[in-house]
Amino acid sequence: MPPRSPAEDRAAADSDTAAAGREQTRQRVIEAAIGLLEREGRDAVTTRAVAVAAGVQAPAIYRLFGDKNGLLEAVAEYGFAAFLAAKHVDPDPQDPVEDLKAGWDLAVEFGLANPALYTLMYSEPGNATSAAFTAGMEILMGRIRRLAAGGWLRVDEQLAATLIHATARGAVLTWLSLPEDERNPALLTALRTAMVTAVTNQQPAVRDAGPAGAARALRAALPEQTTLSSAEQQLLREWLDRLAADG
């Protein structure tokens, strides 16, 4: 490939500068929208109000986000990304049950610290397809697979993920719905305890030779083994799914 001419270099530099400028403007608009959301609620997040708060013209918002819904989707994605950045991932925790509790606590603490943003994040089903949300769920599934591999998991992995996610979200939204003088921290403790009881065994099932727990543990370890062919792994997973469902 021949070297670029000076004119092409200048054009490339101008393009990079323009892209950086657009990204800075986009970030400023999102932060302005979050400020309005937290101070005045979702109804206050209009394109006109956000444009004024961000110091841009309203047409810029339409160019960057398409419409108000696109802006709100970007705000929700920003929230998921911020939550993801706050997560600490230990690939080999000493106690996977305590690791689960810590992850649940972090999710609840984020929601209580960012009530309006959290409510927006979980108010639209479509937000569950965002890249940051998906990455966060992968972290949760990693925690669940470690529980399963150690024999701690009491239920199916997908059900465990649903229970963990639902109890954390329910804890936050219930807490926020209560008058401040009725917000008892014991509520959060009780909900976390109920989640742990529903999802985990008191002792690793593999020690007790329970077939369902042993099946979950073996299924969680399957991605790490390479002896079986893909077809054999698929067949084994089907068998393990049936055994795990009996627990």
Side-chain angles (χ1 to χ4, degrees):
M1 180 180 295
R4 292 189 306 193
S5 68
E8 289 174 327
D9 286 338
R10 287 194 298 272
D14 290 344
S15 177
D16 291 344
T17 300
R22 283 194 299 272
E23 183 56 33
Q24 289 176 357
T25 301
R26 188 176 189 277
Q27 185 72 13
R28 193 164 72 247
V29 170
I30 289 173
E31 291 174 355
I34 292 174
L36 284 169
L37 182 69
E38 294 288 1
R39 291 192 303 272
E40 303 178 41
R42 181 166 176 166
D43 290 343
V45 185
T46 64
T47 52
R48 184 185 298 275
V50 172
V52 171
V56 301
Q57 297 296 317
I61 294 179
Y62 291 102
R63 287 196 299 272
L64 290 167
F65 303 100
D67 55 18
K68 179 181 174 180
N69 288 335
L71 172 59
L72 291 176
E73 289 174 2
V75 169
E77 173 69 9
Y78 179 93
F80 285 122
F83 177 44
L84 182 63
K87 287 190 173 186
H88 170 69
V89 181
D90 185 348
D92 188 24
Q94 290 186 345
D95 188 332
V97 177
E98 288 301 317
D99 185 57
L100 172 64
K101 292 178 183 178
W104 193 92
D105 286 344
L106 180 64
V108 171
E109 289 166 5
F110 180 86
L112 300 186
N114 304 276
L117 178 58
Y118 187 91
T119 301
L120 173 65
M121 289 162 59
Y122 290 103
S123 64
E124 300 292 339
N127 290 339
T129 63
S130 79
F133 177 86
T134 301
M137 287 302 294
E138 288 175 357
I139 292 174
L140 173 59
M141 292 307 297
R143 286 192 166 102
I144 292 170
R145 280 189 290 271
R146 285 190 289 274
L147 287 167
W152 291 102
L153 194 61
R154 184 177 183 180
V155 296
D156 179 79
E157 290 182 22
Q158 192 56 54
L159 177 57
T162 302
L163 286 167
I164 296 164
H165 192 255
T167 53
R169 181 169 57 180
V172 173
L173 297 181
T174 300
W175 179 274
L176 297 177
S177 72
L178 295 172
E180 290 193 16
D181 60 352
E182 295 181 17
R183 294 176 177 176
N184 187 343
L187 169 67
L188 304 180
T189 301
L191 286 171
R192 187 184 70 172
T193 299
M195 177 274 296
V196 172
T197 300
V199 169
T200 67
N201 297 306
Q202 291 185 340
Q203 294 293 331
V206 290
R207 295 180 185 172
D208 300 326
R216 295 186 190 106
L218 180 55
R219 185 177 55 188
L222 276 178
E224 300 177 4
Q225 69 83 38
T226 58
T227 303
L228 300 178
S229 69
S230 296
E232 289 170 335
Q233 287 193 49
Q234 180 61 37
L235 181 59
L236 181 56
R237 284 195 185 92
E238 291 178 7
W239 290 343
L240 293 175
D241 285 344
R242 291 164 63 184
L243 285 170
D246 290 337

